């Protein structure tokens, strides 16, 4: 497995502002993902964070709203831009470790937008 | 029809009970099946990983996959209060490098 940390663990933000979430892994990983977990909903993939190139976004998610950086194999950031109350959610990063391709998740960032 | 259906519960059982958690899915391409446990205010923790059909046992936990019925189960024997959490099923068509498709999760409460 891997030890994954996220910062901040929680935040309360005003609408129209932006928040950058950091994900740090204790070992180098090739694949890193960002998910959203809204109340009462399934975890949904936002994008794949690619090291050295642009992130790959899932349908319904766009780079202008959720810009992602992946400067190296242990670190990534997700920015939630121009926030609205609908962005209130838990944001999770995950990494793929080992030959089975299993995904391990960070503790999450709990975001409330007022 | 959603790709993965999971009854959100809540499910309440007494300590020592056998718990059965289930998911159904519609995409026959899914081959990799996982169960995650998520405690309140924590990230999901991988519990079980199975490939294709069959059973896998790990301690008090048994995962079953029936691809012909597109149905997966997680059984918890001798349930403990520490098992109280939300259980998420997840699946994918390929081994790695792709999104996991999750159920909504079933909230389990085990009372002592």
């Amino acid at each position: 497995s891997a030890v994954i940390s996220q910062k901040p663990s929680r935040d309360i933000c005003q609408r129209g502002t932006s928040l950058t979430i950091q994900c740090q892994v204790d070992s180098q990983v090739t694949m890193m993902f960002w998910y959203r977990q809204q109340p009462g909903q399934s975890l949904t993939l936002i994008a794949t964070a690619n090291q050295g190139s642009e992130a790959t976004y899932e349908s319904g998610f766009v780079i202008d709203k959720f810009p992602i950086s992946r400067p190296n194999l242990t670190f990534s950031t997700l920015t939630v831009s121009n926030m609205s109350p609908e962005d209130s959610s838990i944001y999770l990063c995950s990494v793929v470790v080992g030959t089975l391709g299993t995904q391990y998740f960070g503790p999450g960032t709990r975001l409330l937008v007022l | 029809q959603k790709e993965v259906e999971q009854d959100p519960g809540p499910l309440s059982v007494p300590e020592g009970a056998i718990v059965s958690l289930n998911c159904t899915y519609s995409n026959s391409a899914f081959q990799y099946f996982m169960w995650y446990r998520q405690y309140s205010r924590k990230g999901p923790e991988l519990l079980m990983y199975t490939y294709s059909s069959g059973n896998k046992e790990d301690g008090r936990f048994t995962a079953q996959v029936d691809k012909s019925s597109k149905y997966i189960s997680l059984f918890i024997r001798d349930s403990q209060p520490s098992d109280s959490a939300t259980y998420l099923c997840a699946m994918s068509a390929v081994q790695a490098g792709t999104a996991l498709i999750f159920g909504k999760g079933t909230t389990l409460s085990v009372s002592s």
Side-chain angles (χ1 to χ4, degrees):
Chain A
S1 63
V3 177
I4 306 167
S5 60
Q6 286 186 234
K7 290 181 181 179
S9 59
R10 60 173 58 227
D11 208 341
I12 301 173
C13 300
Q14 298 298 316
R15 70 170 64 213
T17 62
S18 297
L19 176 72
T20 295
I21 302 167
Q22 298 178 5
C23 179
Q24 180 76 53
V25 190
D26 68 341
S27 58
Q28 292 187 338
V29 294
T30 303
M31 311 220 61
M32 186 179 283
F33 303 95
W34 286 97
Y35 285 81
R36 182 172 72 180
Q37 187 176 29
Q38 293 183 306
Q41 301 299 315
S42 313
L43 267 81
T44 302
L45 182 68
I46 298 171
T48 303
N50 301 309
Q51 196 267 330
S53 64
E54 258 190 24
T56 305
Y57 289 85
E58 297 298 303
S59 176
F61 298 97
V62 295
I63 187 171
D64 290 346
K65 177 67 176 176
F66 297 102
I68 288 171
S69 77
R70 179 89 193 271
N72 56 52
L73 293 177
T74 64
F75 185 79
S76 177
T77 66
L78 168 75
T79 299
V80 186
S81 303
N82 188 25
M83 288 184 285
S84 67
E86 291 71 36
D87 295 319
S88 297
S89 184
I90 301 172
Y91 292 86
L92 297 139
C93 65
S94 76
V95 301
V96 173
V97 175
T99 56
L100 293 180
T102 47
Q103 287 191 33
Y104 295 88
F105 285 82
T109 296
R110 284 151 184 79
L111 171 62
L112 176 63
V113 184
L114 302 177
Chain B
Q1 180 189 13
K2 288 193 177 294
E3 278 198 288
V4 179
E5 300 275 6
Q6 184 177 10
D7 186 341
L11 180 62
S12 296
V13 302
E15 183 175 358
I18 297 174
V19 176
S20 172
L21 305 168
N22 311 294
C23 289
T24 59
Y25 63 94
S26 58
N27 188 346
S28 58
F30 288 146
Q31 296 192 80
Y32 300 89
F33 304 92
M34 288 132 276
W35 286 94
Y36 286 84
R37 177 175 62 195
Q38 186 174 23
Y39 291 113
S40 180
R41 304 188 182 284
K42 301 287 187 183
E45 168 195 10
L46 182 65
L47 264 184
M48 300 288 281
Y49 177 101
T50 54
Y51 168 69
S52 195
S53 287
N55 293 1
K56 183 175 182 179
E57 187 173 322
D58 184 0
R60 296 185 294 111
F61 299 89
T62 299
Q64 283 187 354
V65 175
D66 182 348
K67 290 188 68 180
S68 63
S69 302
K70 298 190 179 69
Y71 187 88
I72 70 171
S73 300
L74 177 70
F75 296 95
I76 307 174
R77 291 184 299 280
D78 187 26
S79 56
Q80 303 295 310
S82 59
D83 295 327
S84 299
T86 297
Y87 291 80
L88 308 166
C89 64
M91 47 200 78
S92 68
V94 298
Q95 187 173 24
T98 189
L100 295 179
I101 308 301
F102 281 86
K104 289 185 178 182
T106 300
T107 299
L108 171 67
S109 176
V110 182
S111 56
S112 57

